[in-house]
Amino acid sequence: MAQSFYGSINYDKLIEALKSGQIKTYKTENGTRLINVNVWINDEADQYGNSGSISLPLKDEFQEEKKKVIYIGNLKKNTPSITEATPQDFEEIEDDLPF
């Protein structure tokens, strides 16, 4: 079954990582600049309710130095907040439909 997650990316940390030259970036033939991300989904949420995290893959030369992973965001599982209606919720509706 599909699951939906929501979250945010720390823009300042992303820009800092781009300027440092530590992360892998790509440029397509038409000039579009891309950044790959790693998304981790945990079996259980952490103490802050985060179910996943977003990190940036480092360039090979920084992986060999065993640099710290650059985390730029967190994800939470999206849960519906719908309350099922009961027949009493519709008692005051006037039925003035012509059919």
Side-chain angles (χ1 to χ4, degrees):
M1 179 157 89
Q3 296 183 33
S4 175
F5 294 85
Y6 69 96
S8 56
I9 291 176
N10 183 330
Y11 179 78
D12 294 327
K13 198 157 197 168
L14 174 61
I15 295 300
E16 180 184 317
L18 285 167
K19 289 180 179 180
S20 75
Q22 293 180 346
I23 62 171
K24 292 182 180 181
T25 58
Y26 306 93
K27 194 170 187 179
T28 64
E29 290 180 16
N30 68 1
T32 302
R33 296 177 291 178
L34 303 171
I35 303 166
N36 285 349
V37 296
N38 295 323
V39 177
W40 294 92
I41 304 299
N42 304 317
D43 292 333
E44 294 184 23
D46 66 12
Q47 64 188 22
Y48 304 107
N50 296 314
S51 298
S53 60
I54 305 167
S55 65
L56 302 172
L58 298 173
K59 289 181 178 177
D60 293 338
E61 60 265 26
F62 293 102
Q63 287 179 357
E64 292 170 8
E65 296 175 15
K66 297 187 180 181
K67 291 260 182 183
K68 192 175 179 182
V69 174
I70 300 174
Y71 287 97
I72 59 167
N74 293 305
L75 300 169
K76 293 185 179 189
K77 190 171 183 179
N78 197 5
T79 54
S81 59
I82 298 173
T83 305
E84 189 173 329
T86 65
Q88 290 79 19
D89 293 324
F90 300 96
E91 285 179 350
E92 295 184 23
I93 296 176
E94 293 182 32
D95 188 8
D96 61 349
L97 298 175
F99 49 90

